[in-house]
Amino acid sequence: MEELEKFVSFLKLLGYEDVRLGTEEANLGSSVDELKRLEEEVKKCCKCRLCKTRTNVVFGEGDPETNLMFVGEAPGEQEDLQGRPFVGRAGQLLTRFLNLYGISRDRVYITNVVKCRPPNNRNPAPDEIEACWPYLEKQIELIAPNVILCLGAFAARTILNLPEKAAISKIRGKEQKIRVGEREISVIPTFHPAYLLRNRKGEPEFQKDLEKALKLAGFLNG
Ligand code: URA
Ligand code: SF4
């Protein structure tokens, strides 16, 4: 390896600027690093009004090389205080559902459409979603999952570019494909866990969608 690196330096000296060691590790290293750089950038972001009222930016967390991403709506009170996604009541429900299948949170990646809490948990406004979208898009590109489970209508509409009237009850459970760069990603919309806290009867459908996502991402057999 050392010899190879020396050879690459030698080629660069000769003016071949764009020589890279094409090993898997080198490539993975760079997207993980890039995700960390993006996080540092987003932590300083003030592209929309939500930066004035937030306590902490909630960038997202989990395995940056996972096959499965969860995307929620926006940080709530607990998330804003702790700077971590899905740690309040809805988050604890999500965590319990994952644990039911023997999967810990750190094996997937969890984030939101907007990275700062809207005051009083109001819905994120269209211009806030638009301002924040490039960060989620970049996260999807760098993590490059096979599957995205959209938690609630905001995530589904934003990622699938659906009209504002698209009802989650109509689109949930239906796998759709999106292209990000060279990749094709399966996107599955489902209910938001906060909705399940109020409507327990949605749980079987949520579980069905979660199982579908877990199977497609290779976490479950079948
Ligand atoms: N609801 C969300 O949409 N995201 C969180 O992180 C917490 C609650
Ligand atoms: Fe920036 Fe997104 Fe926070 Fe708005 S919500 S300030 S765009 S990080």
Side-chain angles (χ1 to χ4, degrees):
M1 199 58 188
E2 213 175 278
E3 290 304 309
L4 254 175
E5 276 163 12
K6 274 189 201 154
F7 183 59
V8 168
S9 309
F10 174 66
L11 286 174
K12 283 188 178 161
L13 227 109
L14 292 179
Y16 295 94
E17 288 295 335
D18 207 26
V19 202
R20 250 166 280 180
L21 286 178
T23 61
E24 181 105 328
E25 264 168 57
N27 291 335
L28 283 176
S30 68
S31 60
V32 173
D33 289 350
E34 223 180 296
L35 192 67
K36 286 205 189 104
R37 276 198 295 277
L38 182 67
E39 179 167 3
E40 292 314 309
E41 179 190 334
V42 178
K43 278 185 180 159
K44 292 180 269 182
C45 177
C46 208
K47 283 202 295 175
C48 83
R49 63 184 82 70
L50 297 181
C51 83
K52 299 201 187 91
T53 45
R54 74 179 178 224
T55 313
N56 287 295
V57 169
V58 180
F59 179 71
E61 66 181 25
D63 179 358
E65 289 160 17
T66 188
N67 262 340
L68 178 59
M69 250 177 112
F70 289 77
V71 181
E73 179 178 321
E77 185 183 25
Q78 280 307 311
E79 290 77 20
D80 175 65
L81 290 172
Q82 298 182 39
R84 297 179 57 205
F86 282 98
V87 289
R89 276 183 70 222
Q92 284 160 16
L93 183 63
L94 176 66
T95 306
R96 277 207 302 279
F97 272 117
L98 271 175
N99 295 347
L100 206 64
Y101 296 94
I103 294 155
S104 57
R105 280 169 61 109
D106 56 10
R107 292 180 61 199
V108 301
Y109 193 91
I110 307 176
T111 188
N112 287 299
V113 170
V114 296
K115 313 305 189 198
C116 306
R117 182 193 183 203
N120 303 313
N121 299 345
R122 66 160 168 76
N123 289 338
D127 63 331
E128 294 159 358
I129 294 175
E130 196 184 324
C132 216
W133 165 246
Y135 299 139
L136 178 57
E137 189 180 30
K138 195 76 195 164
Q139 281 173 307
I140 295 172
E141 193 185 314
L142 292 172
I143 295 162
N146 289 339
V147 184
I148 299 175
L149 190 68
C150 297
L151 304 171
F154 281 90
R157 290 184 201 136
T158 306
I159 292 172
L160 294 169
N161 207 5
L162 301 174
E164 220 170 291
K165 61 177 193 334
I168 192 69
S169 55
K170 290 261 169 63
I171 56 173
R172 63 140 285 278
K174 297 191 182 107
E175 179 192 354
Q176 306 199 38
K177 303 263 171 92
I178 58 164
R179 286 203 79 84
V180 176
E182 308 269 283
R183 280 181 93 79
E184 195 165 71
I185 300 176
S186 294
V187 178
I188 302 169
T190 193
F191 294 131
H192 193 289
Y195 168 84
L196 299 179
L197 289 173
R198 290 176 270 117
N199 302 277
R200 295 293 302 263
K201 61 182 186 340
E203 282 187 15
E205 284 164 321
F206 175 85
Q207 248 179 286
K208 216 167 115 188
D209 301 341
L210 177 62
E211 277 179 28
K212 193 176 202 173
L214 291 172
K215 281 177 189 160
L216 277 171
F219 281 95
L220 285 182
N221 292 330

